[in-house]
Structures are given as structure tokens and as C-alpha cells.
Amino acid sequence: MADPLWRDLLKYSNEGKYGEFVKRFAKSLSLAMNQVVVNHQFANSELTRNLSEDADYLGIIRRGEHVTVLYRQRCAKKPGEWLGRLVLGYEDGEVRIFAASIF
């Protein structure tokens, strides 16, 4: 269930499509994000515009009503590996993204 959501985030981040990137976000996350800041990140971050589709699932932990899925993420233009984190839960009967980040 998490993998297609993660792949979509990678795709839309690489393409700089903010509207598509946030379409599965929980309402609370969407409200907390500043569209100007995120668009600036998409435009100026070599990492977030060049994420490799080559991501490895590392594991999952559960905390209350949410699960955190961890990925080993790579970048097409920067050497090394990053930790991808996707927090999922239910909102209005649908699986939604409550947090997504790369460290």
C-alpha cells in the first residue's frame, strides 16, 4: 500500500508538480504546508528534483493510529543514500499521508 504512494511522491517531486505531490496528503498536513516554500524547494533542490526510482523498503513501525514506512532513497545526481520516511493513516475512510520526508 505504501510503495505506490512513495513512488508517486518521487515522480511528482522530480517533476515539480506541487498539486499532484500533495493530493494524497491528510488535511492537517496540507494546511501546515506553505505552497510558496514547497514550490521554492522544488525549484531549487537538486535532491528533490532528482530522486531515483531505485528506493529500497527498509521496514515499518506502528505508533497509535499511524504507520511509518522507511525507505533507502538515492538521488540520480548526488552520490550517497538518504532515509525516506512516509507516515500513513486513515482520514475519512481513506489512506492518507500524514508526513513525508527525506533525511
Side-chain angles (χ1 to χ4, degrees), residues 59-80:
I60 188 169
I61 59 172
R62 183 171 181 201
R63 189 174 320 141
E65 299 289 318
H66 297 91
V67 295
T68 298
V69 185
L70 301 175
Y71 292 92
R72 177 184 297 120
Q73 183 63 53
R74 294 168 188 85
C75 177
K77 291 195 175 184
K78 296 178 91 166

Side-chain angles (χ1 to χ4, degrees), residues 40-74:
H40 181 75
Q41 175 183 328
F42 280 138
N44 297 303
S45 172
E46 187 175 50
L47 176 62
T48 61
R49 293 301 299 271
N50 294 287
L51 295 167
S52 172
E53 293 180 15
D54 184 24
D56 300 316
Y57 167 80
L58 296 176
I60 188 169
I61 59 172
R62 183 171 181 201
R63 189 174 320 141
E65 299 289 318
H66 297 91
V67 295
T68 298
V69 185
L70 301 175
Y71 292 92
R72 177 184 297 120
Q73 183 63 53
R74 294 168 188 85

Side-chain angles (χ1 to χ4, degrees), residues 10-97:
L10 297 177
K11 175 184 176 185
Y12 297 130
S13 182
N14 287 339
E15 294 174 357
K17 293 183 176 178
Y18 174 78
E20 294 297 316
F21 182 79
V22 301
K23 75 179 181 182
R24 296 294 304 267
F25 281 14
K27 292 173 193 166
S28 59
L29 181 57
S30 294
L31 292 173
M33 294 187 70
N34 179 322
Q35 184 172 354
V36 173
V37 172
V38 174
N39 279 331
H40 181 75
Q41 175 183 328
F42 280 138
N44 297 303
S45 172
E46 187 175 50
L47 176 62
T48 61
R49 293 301 299 271
N50 294 287
L51 295 167
S52 172
E53 293 180 15
D54 184 24
D56 300 316
Y57 167 80
L58 296 176
I60 188 169
I61 59 172
R62 183 171 181 201
R63 189 174 320 141
E65 299 289 318
H66 297 91
V67 295
T68 298
V69 185
L70 301 175
Y71 292 92
R72 177 184 297 120
Q73 183 63 53
R74 294 168 188 85
C75 177
K77 291 195 175 184
K78 296 178 91 166
E81 300 173 332
W82 286 262
L83 179 64
R85 177 182 70 110
L86 184 62
V87 179
L88 302 175
Y90 282 100
E91 180 179 74
D92 300 328
E94 293 184 36
V95 174
R96 293 289 184 184
I97 298 169

